[in-house]
Amino acid sequence: MPAAASVTRHHLHSEMESAGNTLHIVLGDGREIELARSLAAAGRCTLLVTSRQVVEGDCLDVDRLPEAAPGARIVLGTVVLQVLLGALSAERNIPIKSFVFAKDDRSYGFVHDLLRAAGVVFRARGGNTGPRRPA
């Protein structure tokens, strides 16, 4: 299932013209609502996850969340995405933890480099690598 994520500001100011004819999932209560309406008006299937009352349309479905504190809203939005991913995974018969493409290298990235610079030593442990404090 190809997917990409973008923060609202980037979507509004640069990536809209490349919005393909696929499902767009938009989370938020602010200008995300207008973004979802704009995508739907252009004929793009859009799911808006919001706590606001928004009228659904031909290409706009709304999953309404309860009003909640910002931290709880993040969790609620994540649950919606996980349920959707689980349903799509089951529909396509792709186990959630499987990969379509094998990678022959490991990339730990920026956090790994920061930890190493702070003196955290990485060592092999049962086939996996993990941090440990220097002796």
Side-chain angles (χ1 to χ4, degrees):
M1 290 175 272
S6 179
V7 296
T8 304
R9 184 168 196 69
H10 290 169
H11 222 351
L12 288 172
H13 296 289
S14 65
E15 299 171 359
M16 286 297 291
E17 297 307 316
S18 64
N21 194 15
T22 184
L23 174 64
H24 296 269
I25 304 170
V26 181
L27 290 88
D29 293 335
R31 49 191 184 167
E32 293 83 7
I33 295 170
E34 188 55 38
L35 170 62
R37 286 180 177 147
S38 178
L39 286 163
R44 305 302 191 246
C45 296
T46 306
L47 171 62
L48 173 63
V49 181
T50 184
S51 64
R52 303 288 184 246
Q53 185 76 30
V54 177
V55 177
E56 293 186 344
D58 289 338
C59 295
L60 178 62
D61 289 312
V62 178
D63 191 352
R64 190 134 184 260
L65 298 175
E67 293 283 339
R73 280 291 313 280
I74 292 170
V75 172
L76 292 171
T78 301
V79 168
V80 169
L81 293 176
Q82 288 178 337
V83 169
L84 178 60
L85 177 62
L88 290 172
S89 177
E91 175 71 25
R92 292 191 173 197
N93 198 26
I94 300 172
I96 289 177
K97 290 189 176 186
S98 70
F99 290 94
V100 176
F101 301 102
K103 294 183 180 182
D104 61 356
D105 68 336
R106 287 187 150 182
S107 176
Y108 295 101
F110 180 69
V111 173
H112 182 263
D113 294 341
L114 282 177
L115 290 171
R116 182 163 289 194
V120 175
V121 178
F122 289 80
R123 64 182 168 120
R125 204 174 359 170
N128 295 321
T129 60
R132 68 175 173 86
R133 298 210 183 271

